[in-house]
Amino acid sequence: MGTVEQARAGAPPKHARGAAFALFSVCLGYFMVLLDGSALNIALPSIQHDIHGSLATLQWLVNIYTIPLACLLLSSGVLADRAGSRRVFMVALTAFVLMSLACALSVNVGMLIVCRALQGISAAGVLPTTLAIIARSYPDLAERAKAITAWGATGGIALVLGPIGGGWLTQSLGWRSIFLVNVPVGLLALWLSFRYAKETERRDAASYDLLGQVCAIAGLGLVVAALIEGGALGWGDPVTLALGAAGVLALALFVYIEKKVASPMLPFGMFRRPAFTAAVVSGFAFQFGTFGLQFIVAIFVEEAWGYSPVQAGFLLLPFAVLLTVGTSFLNRLWKARGMRWLLINGSCVATLGTLACLAASTPSTWPALTIGFAFTGLGAGILAPSINGAALAEVDSQFAGLASGVLNTFRQMGLAVGVAVLGAVLSTAGSSAGLRIDLVVGVVCFFTVIVLAARYIRR
């Protein structure tokens, strides 16, 4: 049946259905990558009890995923330009599904950590390719904008379902089920992308900068390792000092390489613009405070207060819901006020919410933690999209992809360092005192965004 007959019959054109299924496939991949992190936080104490790991082990389970994801985002974008985004998406998603299955079948903590690292590498191939496939599927700009809105809403749904779904799965079926659920979802996404997604245009992209990539991963990994092991072994322990020194040396070598190579993965010339640098640092501080605290609160209420995974999920649900409301609704509603206004006021709300959490001390004071952290999520949701806008407003349109990659790399680094630092504080200072110190650190992060936005982001 032709297009005219389809329209008369009320059926959408074939190309529209194909684009919708392609959009659904990349949204499923995006959903899996985000859900994996938010659901895992609730399951961490159960994993700790089952495999007899320490707090440092739990930090590694989060960061061994985040570090390769952060460091490989830029290179995976270059790879997608050369090989095609659809191909990279499908290969990376296949690996993600296989590693999810391997995580579920892990027999010890070593195997689980290795599989999580491979999951992070796979996720780095999934995330940058989703928007490229959407752009290829929706050449019309108006339709593309609607598709990207649906893609963004998928992230909000993942954040909301993560605490409750992760808690229910962990308590009902065990922690392995949060990895197993990726298998059928991933297989459906793979079939849809194979059947309906179109390959993107390939071009001769810049160099992969392999040596810089290796130094970046080694430097960030070693510094985070020093922070994690410092909380477990002590800050003066030879292992901690050796890891920290090696990490600093690797990062120094990375800076040297990036200044010398023709096509650096992280061009430092972009940081000559103060507003762009302010947006990137704000992204780091935002991820550090928001999702570092999410990790700590999930651990605290289950370990110190004895909450079940489902109870912990419900306690964190208002945070996730209001984060989504702030991102998907309030930021758009108030966008006419400007990015600077959104950054400052969103950070103020997050600061006040985090300060309110300081009133929580015993299980009977849970409303202070729930309500306060909910406002932390609301403020974070209001400011989060404007960090991207502030960064991209300061670069030429031809470098928008690179600027976005740099920003997202620093945001993921903020998450990795946040989990390491806040976890080390919790381990060193004890549960109640450690939580309070971590909350104060979170306040400092949000206040940093206020100062940077007020000083450098234009009205």
Side-chain angles (χ1 to χ4, degrees):
M1 183 167 55
T3 303
V4 175
E5 289 77 4
Q6 285 177 323
R8 289 175 180 171
K14 184 177 180 180
H15 68 84
R17 291 201 308 272
F21 282 126
L23 172 64
F24 187 48
S25 72
V26 296
C27 284
L28 283 177
Y30 183 51
F31 178 83
M32 287 170 56
V33 170
L34 293 187
L35 183 70
D36 194 78
S38 59
L40 180 70
N41 283 335
I42 300 298
L44 286 172
S46 296
I47 296 174
Q48 182 182 30
H49 295 152
D50 189 26
I51 63 178
H52 308 293
S54 61
L55 177 60
T57 300
L58 303 187
Q59 291 170 277
W60 273 119
L61 287 176
V62 174
N63 280 336
I64 204 67
Y65 176 89
T66 305
I67 291 171
L69 173 59
C71 294
L72 291 172
L73 280 174
L74 292 175
S75 289
S76 61
V78 174
L79 177 63
D81 285 340
R82 287 184 171 180
S85 293
R86 175 180 176 270
R87 178 177 298 177
V88 173
F89 174 79
M90 293 187 64
V91 171
L93 188 60
T94 300
F96 190 89
V97 170
L98 292 174
M99 288 306 104
S100 296
L101 180 61
C103 285
L105 299 177
S106 295
V107 295
N108 54 52
V109 66
M111 179 179 176
L112 183 56
I113 287 176
V114 169
C115 293
R116 282 286 291 168
L118 294 174
Q119 253 195 330
I121 294 172
S122 305
V126 172
L127 285 182
T129 55
T130 54
L131 287 176
I133 294 173
I134 290 175
R136 176 70 175 85
S137 302
Y138 291 90
D140 180 76
L141 293 181
E143 293 301 317
R144 184 185 301 175
K146 294 177 183 178
I148 292 176
T149 299
W151 174 86
T154 301
I157 294 170
L159 290 175
V160 171
L161 290 182
I164 296 300
W168 181 82
L169 285 171
T170 301
Q171 192 162 317
S172 302
L173 302 174
W175 64 265
R176 298 177 190 274
S177 60
I178 67 171
F179 295 110
L180 283 174
V181 74
N182 287 335
V183 176
V185 176
L187 291 176
L188 175 60
L190 281 169
W191 182 81
L192 289 173
S193 59
F194 174 77
R195 180 70 176 81
Y196 296 103
K198 298 178 181 179
E199 186 57 274
T200 58
E201 182 180 353
R202 303 178 195 179
R203 62 185 179 87
D204 187 14
S207 168
Y208 288 116
D209 185 18
L210 291 178
L211 187 55
Q213 188 75 78
V214 171
C215 289
I217 295 175
L220 180 60
L222 288 167
V223 169
V224 168
L227 293 170
I228 292 174
E229 297 304 325
L233 301 176
W235 300 106
D237 187 88
V239 173
T240 302
L241 296 175
L243 289 171
V248 171
L249 181 61
L251 290 177
L253 182 58
F254 169 71
V255 172
Y256 176 79
I257 292 170
E258 297 307 283
K259 289 182 176 180
K260 295 295 183 181
V261 297
S263 301
M265 64 165 284
L266 185 61
F268 290 109
M270 300 184 72
F271 294 98
R272 294 193 184 102
R273 302 189 179 192
F276 178 79
T277 302
V280 168
V281 174
S282 294
F284 181 94
F286 160 74
Q287 294 280 126
F288 187 116
T290 304
F291 297 105
L293 285 177
Q294 185 190 38
F295 166 81
I296 291 301
V297 170
I299 297 294
F300 176 82
V301 297
E302 291 189 53
E303 290 295 297
W305 287 0
Y307 274 36
S308 69
V310 170
Q311 289 173 320
F314 274 106
L315 185 141
L316 288 173
L317 182 61
F319 164 82
V321 170
L322 289 185
L323 178 68
T324 305
V325 169
T327 302
S328 303
F329 177 69
L330 293 181
N331 185 276
R332 293 181 188 173
L333 180 66
W334 293 330
K335 66 181 180 180
R337 298 176 181 266
M339 292 175 291
R340 184 173 183 269
W341 187 93
L342 289 164
L343 287 169
I344 292 174
N345 286 277
S347 299
C348 285
V349 173
T351 299
L352 293 174
T354 308
L355 285 171
C357 293
L358 290 169
S361 57
T362 62
S364 62
T365 60
W366 66 267
L369 188 59
T370 300
I371 296 172
F373 204 43
F375 277 95
T376 301
L378 179 64
I382 292 171
L383 72 94
S386 295
I387 294 175
N388 294 356
L392 295 179
E394 295 300 321
V395 298
D396 296 333
S397 59
Q398 59 181 323
F399 298 111
L402 178 60
S404 178
V406 170
L407 175 62
N408 284 307
T409 296
F410 272 82
R411 286 179 65 153
Q412 292 299 324
M413 286 169 57
L415 171 58
V417 177
V419 167
V421 171
L422 300 183
V425 170
L426 189 69
S427 176
T428 303
S431 56
S432 296
L435 177 66
R436 280 174 169 73
I437 296 172
D438 283 343
L439 290 170
V440 171
V441 173
V443 169
V444 172
C445 288
F446 295 122
F447 187 72
T448 299
V449 179
I450 296 173
V451 173
L452 290 174
R455 176 65 179 85
Y456 295 107
I457 304 303
R458 291 177 289 182
R459 294 182 183 275

